[in-house]
Amino acid sequence: MKALVTRLDSFGDVLLAGPAVRAVAARADTVTLLCGPHGAPAARLLPGVDEVLVWDSPWTGFQPPAVSREEIDGIVAAVDADSALILTSFHQSPLPTALLLRLAGVRFIAADSEDHPGSLLDVRHHRAPHAHEAEAALDLAEAAGFPRVDDGRLRVLPPPETGALTGPGEYVVVHPGASVPARAWSPDRCAQAVRELAAAGRRVVVTGGAGERDLTAYVAGGRAVDLGGRTGAAELAGVLAGAACVVTGNTGPAHLAAAVDTPVVSLFAPVVPAERWRPYGVPYVLLGDQDAPCAGTRARRCPVPGHPCLDTVTALDVVAAVDKLVEVA
């Protein structure tokens, strides 16, 4: 059986699909993961994936492309599968993807759907109301005939050795960036946390993408190792795997840290619910006002002046959370 799993949005979303992908891989001859361009680096880290098919969907992402008949025809021609699992967030519809997969000749399709699917789905599953995204994906896989085969935690392929990047000795990672501004702790607060962690005797490594070099340099402030723009997905996995703890917002590296079994101090803006998106399967401390006025808005930019859900968190709160998690580990 040729199986296809789709998760069309972000890096972290694809990592959360990993346990369901392994369940499918245990019963399929091959597994293709259909993902968007932002999720592709994560897809290539997942055990059980034989092929990664990348497509920029017009119904997902922060800046979706215009609908193109040529692009639609291209993805329909590229899909070669007997069976498909469509993974979406709780607020997304799987039906546009299901229509394309039917046009591609996929015979069996399963998805979570509150909308009537007509003939687009063979398994119309209803997710549990408060399920974490990773659990929801596993529940759907089981309903489609792919029961879980292991502990269900996040996992990636073994990362490379990154000691040459981080230097010797124990360290804590601070990752200040986020995919959208509403989910990020302010740069000033991040820089204060680095100063306080260093003052408490912690060695700190600051990470960030190629477009975040100015941010990581500011946050590191000469007191931390600045790896801004110096790690791809696999190297970042290695850096996070070597850390005693990771301090970050609700963004992909939080889930990558969980996938390499590293505790997380989660600076979590409640624009999406923590019960669905918190670090999964590892010790964590959740910081941030989960009852702030922005809760549940899915806002990309903070709708409340002063960003109170996160900027009421202090650097000393982070130091205390790191101390707690490092002691537990």
Side-chain angles (χ1 to χ4, degrees):
M1 174 182 59
K2 295 178 181 179
L4 178 81
V5 179
T6 76
R7 184 78 210 211
L8 290 171
D9 24 29
S10 75
F11 185 95
D13 298 319
V14 171
L15 291 175
L16 292 172
V21 168
R22 298 197 304 271
V24 173
R27 286 162 176 80
D29 298 313
T30 63
V31 175
T32 297
L33 184 56
L34 172 61
C35 63
H38 294 292
R44 296 186 177 102
L45 298 180
L46 293 183
V49 173
D50 298 293
E51 180 187 12
V52 176
L53 187 58
V54 182
W55 182 56
D56 199 3
S57 156
W59 51 83
T60 52
F62 298 130
Q63 294 181 313
V67 175
S68 159
R69 179 61 180 265
E70 183 180 2
E71 290 289 327
I72 297 292
D73 289 345
I75 194 62
V76 167
V79 168
D80 180 18
D82 310 303
S83 154
L85 203 66
I86 303 174
L87 303 180
T88 59
S89 297
F90 69 98
H91 61 277
Q92 295 171 328
S93 172
L95 299 185
T97 305
L99 176 59
L100 290 193
L101 298 185
R102 283 292 192 226
L103 292 174
V106 180
R107 295 192 298 271
F108 177 87
I109 304 174
D112 289 329
S113 182
E114 296 306 314
D115 299 319
H116 177 60
S119 61
L120 296 179
L121 298 179
D122 299 286
V123 174
R124 177 196 184 189
H125 184 253
H126 298 279
R127 70 165 60 197
H130 304 289
H132 192 281
E133 291 294 306
E135 284 289 341
L138 277 169
D139 290 346
L140 172 61
E142 186 159 19
F146 303 103
R148 65 182 70 199
V149 291
D150 53 35
D151 59 10
R153 293 174 65 173
L154 307 190
R155 197 168 296 156
V156 292
L157 298 170
E161 170 59 42
T162 53
L165 289 171
T166 62
E170 183 177 275
Y171 59 90
V172 171
V173 166
V174 173
H175 185 91
S179 54
V180 294
R183 301 182 192 178
W185 207 27
S186 73
D188 286 343
R189 283 281 196 268
C190 292
Q192 290 167 11
V194 169
R195 289 197 295 271
E196 293 295 343
L197 287 165
R202 300 279 183 197
R203 198 165 71 86
V204 183
V205 172
V206 179
T207 57
E212 297 174 322
R213 289 187 178 95
D214 290 344
L215 173 62
T216 61
Y218 175 75
V219 169
R223 297 176 178 85
V225 177
D226 178 9
L227 295 183
R230 298 176 59 193
T231 56
E235 291 78 18
L236 181 58
V239 170
L240 299 181
C245 180
V246 175
V247 179
T248 187
N250 174 27
T251 192
H255 303 305
L256 188 56
V260 294
D261 204 28
T262 299
V264 180
V265 176
S266 177
L267 292 147
F268 200 101
V271 290
V272 295
E275 65 183 1
R276 292 188 174 111
W277 297 101
R278 60 170 174 75
Y280 185 74
V282 294
Y284 69 95
V285 173
L286 204 69
L287 298 178
D289 181 2
Q290 300 306 298
D291 297 315
C294 65
T297 62
R298 300 205 299 272
R300 297 177 187 176
R301 294 192 175 274
C302 182
V304 183
H307 203 21
C309 68
L310 285 186
D311 277 2
T312 52
V313 178
T314 70
L316 293 178
D317 292 332
V318 167
V319 172
V322 168
D323 287 346
K324 178 180 179 180
L325 289 176
V326 173
E327 287 173 8
V328 168

